[in-house]
Amino acid sequence: MTPPTETFAFQADLSQLMSLIINTFYSNRDVFLREIISNASDALDKIRYMSLTDPSQLETDSKLEIHIVPHKEEGYLSIIDTGIGMTKSDMVNALGTIAKSGTKAFMEALQQGADISMIGQFGVGFYSAYLVADKVQVFSKNNDDEEYVWES
């Protein structure tokens, strides 16, 4: 049985979002892959750290891996990790809020001469996927919650 679908609107300041896309990402479309892999690596680091004090965190899957799977015929790319995963609340808060404080801090740093490569330090790297994709899906399962799918 498929769980019921819930719809959440992005929480965003549209002018901040457009400024972010036009002034930073647009000329650096390939940054998305680095950012998504970096997020996957962070998820592995988090579950590895948690498993030091709670070995049960790795009972579901003890292999800490990132897989990059191209689906050329279908025209999409899967990036799969065995990291910590997100709860429903994590997904709504982390993926559903654009142009929050991290984005603002990133834009301010750029205006002061920071390099675009610093993007991952501000928690906005995930949104770079929208430069190369019409649709983004995130499947996530945290040990403390059910599996959820974020699609936009």
Side-chain angles (χ1 to χ4, degrees), residues 2 7 13 15 18 24 28 30 37 42 49 55 57 76-77 80 83 94 103-104 107 118 130 135 137 141 147-149:
T2 304
T7 302
D13 177 330
S15 63
M18 293 310 293
T24 60
N28 295 287
D30 59 341
I37 292 170
D42 290 347
Y49 178 77
Q57 291 292 319
Y76 71 93
L77 181 67
I80 305 160
T103 305
K104 186 174 182 180
M107 291 301 298
M118 294 179 58
Y130 291 98
K135 179 170 81 172
Q137 290 182 314
K141 167 72 175 87
E147 180 177 40
Y148 290 98
V149 178

Side-chain angles (χ1 to χ4, degrees), residues 103-119:
T103 305
K104 186 174 182 180
F106 177 63
M107 291 301 298
E108 289 170 357
L110 280 178
Q111 290 171 353
Q112 294 175 6
D115 189 316
I116 182 76
S117 66
M118 294 179 58
I119 190 169

